[in-house]
Structures are given as C-alpha cells and as structure tokens.
Amino acid sequence: DAGVIQSPRHEVTEMGQEVTLRCKPISGHNSLFWYRQTMMRGLELLIYFNNNVPIDDSGMPEDRFSAKMPNASFSTLKIQPSEPRDSAVYFCASKAGGVTGELFFGEGSRLTVL
Amino acid sequence: DAKTTQPPSMDCAEGRAANLPCNHSTISGNEYVYWYRQIHSQGPQYIIHGLKNNETNEMASLIITEDRKSSTLILPHATLRDTAVYYCIVRVAFYHLNTGNQFYFGTGTSLTVIP
C-alpha cells in the first residue's frame, strides 16, 4: 500500500501564478479531504469529497481556490491567482467508508508564494 | 469548528507515562473522540478513538470519563520519537451522506519528551 501520494512536495511560485496541487488517495478509499496548515491558523479543513462528489467546501477560503476529483484515484486543488498569504502546507487525506474509518494523510505539499 | 480544549504544551521524561488531557464538555452522545499526532512537518497520524469505553491499542490508551466530557490519552512509556503535536478531535458517529465525515483539528498539545 503506497499511502496517500501528493505532488509536488515543494512549490515556490510568484504572486499571480496558478498553482495546482495533486493527490492520489489510497485505493479503495471513497472519501478525500484537503487541509491547509499554517502557524497562525493551524490545520484547516478546506473541502472534502465523498465518492468523487464535493460534499462540504465551506472551508475553501475564496473563489481563487477550487478543487476537483474527476475519478476515484485523483484530485486537484488549484489556486488562481496565488497570493503570498496562500503560503502553507497543503495536506490531502483519504478515508475508507463507514462511520469510524480513520484518516490517512499524505506527506503534504509545501507552497511558498513570493 | 474544533469542539475540544487542550493544553498548548507539555513535557514528559523519557520512559515515563505521558498523560495528555482533552476537554470536550459539549460532546454529544453520538460523537466519538479521536486522537491524532503530527510529528514535525509530517501528515497527522491516527492513534486511537473511542465512544464510551476506555480503549487500548499498541500505541496508546484512551481513558474517557463517565460523563464523556473529557478524556486522557496515555502513552505508557514515552520515547523521544513521541515528541509531536497531539490532536484531540470529536466527530459524529452517525454517518450520513453529508455529515459525519469531517475531522476538525484544533490547536493540539505540543508534547516534548525529555531525555
């Protein structure tokens, strides 16, 4: 089992550029989550999908952020245009179905917007 | 949206038991208590969860008070590798399409194991 795979691990970009973060969940997991972590705000839930359908996107900060899950094995989080305040570590996590399944996190994508 | 309160930091001597408290005074009868930890900059890692009864696994023990308003995570013999931020999370046990899946992390407790 390869675990949750995220790419890129590190991204440095300039303000105004588009950023796309990618996530491959654990095979067979039907829920996928995107989190953002900063020193100031801690670990924030941005959005989660169930069976590829976005269920709760109330944590998405603004319209510059969008997330998609075109199939069960791939999701993207896009920021367009990026701003320095978007600098953070973005984690993807997946979970199997059922009430008490645990979250499995990827190693995160560290984004720096200059 | 975190419904838990934890001390910001704690120290523990290596080899001793680490007892990490969590207050969840507004917990509902259908909500579980979960514990995760985050070592340095890695993704959070599941430790244990429980509903009413105390639980134990190979990593830790979870003690939930009878009124369920608080709990304690116990690492029986702390090692230097247990230095991490520990998160206590409350989430609903009832699963519906649009609820019950969210895990909201608070600020956690930064545990430092001292040699």
Side-chain angles (χ1 to χ4, degrees), chain A residues 27-90:
Chain A
S27 177
H29 284 189
N30 66 345
S31 294
L32 183 140
F33 305 74
W34 282 100
Y35 284 86
R36 176 174 70 175
Q37 186 169 37
T38 61
M39 288 293 292
M40 291 295 295
R41 301 175 69 88
L43 200 57
E44 301 173 276
L45 175 62
L46 299 178
I47 184 171
Y48 93 87
F49 296 83
N50 193 51
N51 293 324
N52 311 337
V53 176
I55 300 299
D56 182 359
D57 64 355
S58 59
M60 296 285 265
E62 50 197 274
D63 292 345
R64 297 184 297 106
F65 285 69
S66 62
K68 294 182 179 180
M69 192 165 186
N71 57 61
S73 59
F74 184 66
S75 176
T76 60
L77 178 68
K78 185 175 293 186
I79 309 172
Q80 167 64 20
S82 59
E83 297 182 2
R85 60 192 168 122
D86 301 330
S87 297
V89 180
Y90 291 82

Side-chain angles (χ1 to χ4, degrees), chain A residues 31 35 37 56 95 99 103, chain B residues 36 38 91 93 101-103:
Chain A
S31 294
Y35 284 86
Q37 186 169 37
D56 182 359
K95 173 184 169 293
V99 172
L103 284 182
Chain B
Y36 280 74
Q38 187 173 24
R91 64 178 287 261
N101 239 351
Q102 294 94 326
F103 287 76

